[in-house]
Amino acid sequence: MRAKRCVRTWLGLVLGMTVTVLGSLTPSALARTTAAAAPGPPGTPAPDPPGPDPSVPTVARAWPVGMRPVVLRGWAPPATPYARGHRGVDLAAAPGTPVRAVAPGRVSFSGRVAGRGVVSVELAGTGTPPLRTTYGPVRPSVRRGDEVTTGETLGTVEPPDSHCPTSCLHWGLLRDHTYLNPLSLLPPWLLRRGPSRLLPVPVPRSPS
């Protein structure tokens, strides 16, 4: 009997403390607390990812490969300069695919680094030091010092190496020695996938 009375006493104390705490909350505070604890309904989309880097001007007017390539691996900056991360984006591209300049500039490097072809282009009108885009693995068709325009071919995608499990183009962006997100160069209309459109089909006329 004494054990039952102790249990009832403790339950009463806990219930009284709960009522006291809830009663001290204002309705708005109580609503915020409930909303934070309640899970979202099934199928609720995840929050939007962070937007483009505001320090990078949207000067690009073309993707480096294709019309809207699949991003196999996104931008994942390292926590420290020497930590692991992904300093660019990997775009799906078959060997032999033309690699184009995303904006006008000057070729600052064209050659091989660690056995893979690399092309770098300093983008015109992007400050001092200028933004620099990098592309690899690429078989270059340009030389250092060449002036290039938007969409001009820099080379072709080389066969896949150890960087990607499938054939891809690694696209990077730097200002001096700082890596940035290359997708920030693209305006929203290039990042969006447009709606499907039906094209007119010519119908031959029957002889009269």
Side-chain angles (χ1 to χ4, degrees):
M1 293 294 293
R2 178 175 298 177
K4 289 182 179 180
R5 284 197 298 270
C6 289
V7 169
R8 286 197 295 268
T9 302
W10 278 107
L11 287 175
L13 288 173
V14 171
L15 181 59
M17 291 174 64
T18 303
V19 171
T20 301
V21 170
L22 291 178
S24 64
L25 291 174
T26 64
S28 58
L30 182 60
R32 288 194 301 268
T33 305
T34 307
T44 300
D48 292 334
D53 188 339
S55 68
V56 178
T58 54
V59 296
R61 291 298 178 266
W63 284 87
V65 288
M67 298 296 293
R68 177 60 170 86
V70 175
V71 178
L72 299 176
R73 187 180 178 191
W75 161 251
T80 64
Y82 301 102
R84 296 184 62 182
H86 194 230
R87 299 165 172 84
V89 295
D90 293 339
L91 306 176
T97 299
V99 178
R100 301 185 299 270
V102 299
R106 183 182 64 85
V107 177
S108 57
F109 180 85
S110 177
R112 306 198 74 78
V113 177
R116 67 199 305 250
V118 175
V119 173
S120 297
V121 177
E122 292 181 350
L123 304 183
T126 56
T128 304
L131 291 172
R132 186 170 78 256
T133 53
T134 61
Y135 312 85
V138 174
R139 183 173 288 109
S141 59
V142 292
R143 294 181 297 180
R144 181 179 178 181
D146 286 351
E147 299 288 336
V148 295
T149 58
T150 302
E152 186 169 341
T153 300
L154 305 173
T156 55
V157 176
E158 290 185 329
D161 56 14
S162 59
H163 183 79
C164 285
T166 59
S167 183
C168 79
L169 174 77
H170 179 80
W171 179 30
L173 176 67
L174 301 93
R175 189 185 293 279
D176 200 10
H177 299 292
T178 302
Y179 285 88
L180 303 166
N181 184 359
L183 294 180
S184 296
L185 291 169
L186 297 171
W189 61 270
L190 268 177
L191 287 168
R192 288 193 298 265
R193 199 182 282 273
S196 301
R197 293 186 297 175
L198 296 177
L199 299 178
V201 178
V203 178
R205 291 185 177 182
S206 58
S208 55

